[in-house]
Amino acid sequence: MSLPVFLTAHWRYLAMVNYEIDPQILSPFVPAGTEIDYFEGRTFVSLVGFLFEDTRVKGWAIPGHQNFEELNLRFYVRRVADGEVRRGVAFIKEVVPRFAVTAVARWLYGENYVTHPMRHNILTDDEQTQADYEWKHRGRWNRLAVAGQGPPQLADPSSEEAFITEHYWGYTQRSAKTTLEYEVAHPSWRLWQNCTAEVDCDATSMYGEAFAEVLRQAPSSCLLADGSAVSVHAGSRWPSAAPTRTGSPN
């Protein structure tokens, strides 16, 4: 049974740039009781920018905190609960422009949120849609932009695009052997086609050299999703006898 909904919003114009990564780099960040989720034997980390719109906490609209940008670096995990495979995400770092959002996310969910100035620009016409996200870190504006063609369509369920977007749980390490699990409910997103991406980011100062080396490589893919209404449920903590780190690609 799902726990009560804590937050509702519309997530719009999700720009995702996806990189293959050595699972050993991710191993220290895998929440206890989960394992890395592989796609065709490959492991991914994604740089994601998107918009929060009409954000409400327990039904309440907080003045000045309804519409804002987010940027995150995330990877993909899974766990088996009562015979059900729960596929989710874990985050390296999340950036928002509102300190109150950072404080609540750190307090309630234990997520590694930080606050930086952010801005965005969405350009769309009959042929192309582009989502451009920028964030200021150490006096420098960084940029993530993804453009796609034509009308958005649902992804092939067996595709890498579907793997990246079809994860409906979040996991956060709260202590050495305790993990917070929360459900993120939304319909499947439609994706624009033939995407191209631009990334200009001081990844070393943002994420450390190991991740910076990955983000300097050519991405495996990029996506631009139209987004939807989203419900983020309250989290539940559960103990785990020992962390599960890399799992198996098979």
Side-chain angles (χ1 to χ4, degrees), residues 161-223:
E161 290 82 0
F163 172 81
I164 294 295
T165 56
E166 299 285 326
H167 284 76
Y168 296 98
W169 297 86
Y171 293 97
T172 307
Q173 188 82 50
R174 297 307 304 259
S175 67
K177 295 184 179 180
T178 303
T179 294
L180 181 77
E181 175 187 71
Y182 56 94
E183 185 178 2
V184 182
H186 63 79
S188 296
W189 292 325
R190 298 177 302 160
L191 310 176
W192 279 276
Q193 308 302 302
N194 303 316
C195 287
T196 57
E198 297 179 41
V199 178
D200 179 13
C201 172
D202 181 3
T204 300
S205 65
M206 284 286 296
Y207 307 114
E209 182 55 35
F211 287 103
E213 184 175 352
V214 173
L215 298 180
R216 284 194 290 264
Q217 307 303 312
S220 172
S221 63
C222 60
L223 312 173

Side-chain angles (χ1 to χ4, degrees), residues 40-89:
E40 296 182 346
R42 296 179 293 157
T43 311
F44 291 95
V45 64
S46 299
L47 190 64
V48 181
F50 64 101
L51 297 178
F52 271 85
E53 295 181 351
D54 192 25
T55 305
R56 296 173 182 266
V57 177
K58 294 187 175 182
W60 291 89
I62 311 301
H65 293 77
Q66 293 176 263
N67 304 308
F68 54 91
E69 304 90 346
E70 177 173 319
L71 177 106
N72 63 60
L73 184 66
R74 74 184 202 180
F75 64 99
Y76 304 94
V77 298
R78 53 183 278 161
R79 87 174 184 107
V80 178
D82 299 324
E84 172 194 4
V85 177
R86 295 182 174 179
R87 301 173 62 217
V89 298

